Amino acid sequence: RVPMGPLSLLLALSLLSPRGSAGWSCPPRCVCASNLLSCSQANLSVVPAPLPRFTAVLDLSHNNVTRLRADWAPARLPHLHALLLSHNRLAFVSTEAFTHVPRLRHLDLSSNRLRTLDENLFSDLGELEVLLLYNNEITTVDRTAFENLGRLRKLYLGQNRIARFPLELLREGSRLPQLALLDLSANRLRAVPAGELQALPAWLRDRLYLHNNPLACDCLLFQLLDRGYRRHLSAVVDFQDELHCFLPGAPAAPVKILALADKQPLNCSKAREAVLEAHLGDSVTLGCDSRWQGVRSRHWVTPGGERVLGDGGNGSVVLLANGSLQLRALRPEDAGTYACWVAGPLLNETLYVELLVHNFTLHGPHDTLNTAYTTLVGCILSVVLVLIYLYLTPCRCCCCRGSEKPPAPRDDSINSSVLSTTPNHAGGTGEPCGSHIASSAGTGQNGRFKGGGTPSMPARQGPKAQRKVSDPDSVSSVFSDTPIVV
């Protein structure tokens, strides 16, 4: 048995290692470090071959590769998750170029000469998360170019020549359900579907970059960006000076989109934030349109200051699974400003929704006056009727001022009008005219004889007759025709 020396041991380890075995050596003009393969700035015109099977990151940037054919990776590279091909002269990419790299998650094709994105170009990259295509010459994007990219989160298409907004990339349930960033800056977009973009989730609008495009000034576009500015969306706040547009019929000088408020000739007005109108008995859903993905928790606060964490006590307030708040069988007291508190992965956010509840049902008969107006009108009518009854009732005061008559006996003062609080003093001059009697001192109130000072109860016969000027009963209370019994 021959003992193994240090040199023999090193030779055996090199034969067992992947890099030292035949066919798996590091390509010429490249640097290999573990599973990283860097061939950057190596003046390559084609992809070196063969590539180690264990390669996880392949950097081919800053070379002269012009075409990426289907056979650039003849063998399957199951571990490759990052492919960097920026700053080459790529003008053609085969639709089968990514067949052997199905685990790719990061693909950088920026700063090349690509002009079109053909049909199903990236359909084999089902696990792709980041795709960089900025600083190319792209003019057209096929509707199926991003088919099957269910995990794509970031798509950079800035600094190209795209003239049509690819709205199909953003519609809910489309080809890119997890897209969280879309860069369309520095292209040739003249119009964007502002109404449909406003319906997008806030977390996607927060990463929708539209600056440095020759956009036509429009009030809907202004309101879209104005909402984003007030919501502190980074795509608007960070690039507000680069968000320009061109006024119709104006010189070629662009204006800032956020400066279009009350500016001629458009005279755009700022849109109100999250105002919802409903009617009594309706059921509405208040959306919590947060710009954060992966929200850890959220809760609502009602106008009365109550926190809503789950079902309400009476079942009329329900917190849905997506964070929205559902209100059932609306009542007038449900109106007000609701606040949605969101705990995001980095920061917290508070959203406000103002709910207006109209005081009538939408499908029932519409009253011309609501309860408040009806109450007000009723009060006014009541006051008018009382004033008419008080001031337009015939009074004998005009007839009593010219004649001086002796005051009524003190024992009859109890039968005087309840409206007068002035006692009957002898020789007084400030007594009401109704307190004087028109007959002898032995008669009682209203000229009737009262035995023992006790007034007799008149019999009720028929409805009460109206008072006349000559009626001596005018000394009674205007609110009662029944004499006071002592």
Side-chain angles (χ1 to χ4, degrees), residues 4 57 80-82 85 154 158-159 170 196 212 230 260 272 289 308 323 356 403 436 468:
M4 182 177 293
V57 178
L80 186 66
H81 63 79
L85 281 166
K154 299 179 180 181
Q159 300 183 33
L170 301 177
E196 298 190 47
N212 289 331
R230 285 186 282 144
L260 288 179
R272 301 178 64 182
D289 190 15
V308 180
L356 303 178
S403 60
H436 299 285
K468 299 182 180 180

Side-chain angles (χ1 to χ4, degrees), residues 358-369:
H358 296 288
N359 201 13
F360 57 86
T361 58
L362 181 61
H363 304 289
H366 289 196
D367 298 331
T368 56
L369 295 176

Side-chain angles (χ1 to χ4, degrees), residues 242-326:
E242 287 80 26
L243 286 167
H244 297 97
C245 65
F246 293 87
L247 289 169
V255 297
K256 291 184 179 181
I257 299 179
L258 294 178
L260 288 179
D262 303 325
K263 186 173 183 178
Q264 299 296 333
L266 296 179
N267 196 23
C268 298
S269 60
K270 295 186 177 181
R272 301 178 64 182
E273 179 73 14
V275 177
L276 183 62
E277 298 187 23
H279 301 81
L280 288 178
D282 289 351
S283 295
V284 297
T285 301
L286 309 182
C288 189
D289 190 15
S290 175
R291 60 193 174 120
W292 301 116
Q293 279 187 301
V295 175
R296 297 192 302 268
S297 64
R298 73 181 84 198
H299 70 268
W300 285 83
V301 179
T302 65
E306 300 178 359
R307 294 182 61 181
V308 180
L309 301 175
D311 293 347
N314 55 1
S316 61
V317 182
V318 179
L319 184 62
L320 303 180
N322 60 357
S324 301
L325 185 68
Q326 187 179 64

